[in-house]
Amino acid sequence: MVSKQKILIVDDDNNIAELISLYLTKECFETMIVNDGESALSAMDSFQPGLILLDLMLPGIDGYQVCREVRSKFSTPIIMLSAKGEIFDKVLGLELGADDYMEKPFDSKELVARVKAVLRRYKPAVSTPESSHDKKVEYPDLIVNQTNYSVIYKGRTVDMPPKELELLYFLAASPNHVFTREQLLDQIWGYEYIGDTRTVDVHIKRLREKIKDHSSWRIATIWGIGYKFEVK
């Protein structure tokens, strides 16, 4: 029997949380509701969710701090939920490690679609005899494997949220090819993602913090256009 995927719902408005839980339960997810940041952090070990729906305005520890602490220990995907629709709030959430950001009020069908989309991107591919070829690229001091979702940099494993890894793999798999921000947004986030191109810039910034320029390669900015994985 296949176990249900677990979703942790963190929202101090229990009515909203219960409604989200209802929609997700109908889609065969197992849900757990907590109403504050401390409970959310405790639930990471006890519930071990596969994805977190995280409200920003929480009593005590707010959603930003919860995201920061979760991301320091886990690679669990996070979708932030907030009534704040300003670009600053979205960018801050993404910089802290969120995988997506939805404004309240949101459409329940869109929420479910985004949950499924993020989980699809996060779930490592299963190797079979028919499809045993790894999606892997190797450069000096860098191995990016999208089959098992791992990055080895200078001999050490680098923890990376799914979309960061997918962005790095996509660029590295096409060395010296210039991609516009719009192309990267479409390729990595897909048509389900309703965002703007600054999302790409935020993820590139986070990649550069973890993967520094190498004498043989680097993530290069092509001003006014986009980015490329430059191999020298």
Side-chain angles (χ1 to χ4, degrees):
M1 182 178 178
V2 179
S3 60
K4 294 182 179 180
Q5 289 179 299
K6 297 179 178 180
I7 310 293
L8 178 64
I9 303 167
V10 188
D11 200 312
D12 62 337
D13 187 327
N14 212 51
N15 291 328
I16 292 177
E18 290 285 357
L19 189 60
I20 293 172
S21 178
L22 177 63
Y23 285 117
L24 291 174
T25 301
K26 286 182 179 179
E27 296 293 327
C28 296
F29 292 105
E30 180 182 347
T31 64
M32 176 179 182
I33 296 172
V34 296
N35 304 119
D36 60 78
E38 286 190 17
S39 299
L41 295 174
S42 297
M44 290 304 299
D45 290 318
S46 59
F47 185 57
Q48 297 183 341
L51 182 142
I52 306 166
L53 292 172
L54 178 62
D55 184 38
L56 291 182
M57 305 303 290
L58 297 170
I61 304 174
D62 67 16
Y64 290 120
Q65 184 62 29
V66 171
C67 182
R68 185 181 291 110
E69 294 195 26
V70 167
R71 191 53 72 231
S72 70
K73 300 176 183 177
F74 305 94
S75 60
T76 310
I78 298 171
I79 299 178
M80 284 188 168
L81 308 176
S82 177
K84 294 182 176 183
E86 299 298 323
I87 291 297
F88 169 80
D89 298 302
K90 294 180 181 179
V91 170
L92 178 58
L94 292 167
E95 284 184 332
L96 291 175
D99 295 273
D100 204 346
Y101 188 110
M102 290 192 69
E103 292 178 40
K104 294 180 178 180
F106 45 77
D107 180 81
S108 58
K109 290 182 180 178
E110 182 184 356
L111 175 64
V112 171
R114 291 206 191 192
V115 165
K116 290 181 177 179
V118 169
L119 286 171
R120 279 199 305 272
R121 292 191 291 265
Y122 177 75
K123 185 178 181 181
V126 177
S127 180
T128 65
E130 293 76 21
S131 59
S132 58
H133 299 293
D134 283 352
K135 295 178 71 174
K136 180 170 67 174
V137 291
E138 296 188 41
Y139 293 96
D141 292 324
L142 179 68
I143 302 173
V144 186
N145 191 326
Q146 194 173 300
T147 299
N148 62 13
Y149 273 68
S150 66
V151 175
I152 308 295
Y153 174 58
K154 293 188 174 180
R156 303 180 69 176
T157 300
V158 179
D159 290 329
M160 228 175 249
K163 286 206 289 291
E164 282 183 35
L165 187 148
E166 290 172 9
L167 179 58
L168 177 60
Y169 175 83
F170 183 78
L171 289 169
S174 300
N176 296 321
H177 185 104
V178 178
F179 294 97
T180 67
R181 290 171 174 82
E182 289 79 9
Q183 287 173 323
L184 293 171
L185 190 67
D186 181 62
Q187 288 290 330
I188 307 304
W189 284 265
Y191 68 90
E192 300 111 324
Y193 187 80
I194 304 170
D196 68 48
T197 55
R198 272 169 285 197
T199 299
V200 176
D201 297 334
V202 169
H203 282 74
I204 290 289
K205 176 184 176 184
R206 280 158 47 183
L207 282 174
R208 284 173 169 160
E209 290 171 352
K210 299 173 182 177
I211 307 293
K212 306 297 183 183
D213 287 353
H214 192 274
S215 58
S216 301
W217 49 263
R218 68 182 182 123
I219 300 173
T221 300
I222 309 303
W223 297 108
I225 301 175
Y227 300 96
K228 72 175 179 178
F229 190 88
E230 183 178 271
V231 177
K232 303 173 184 178

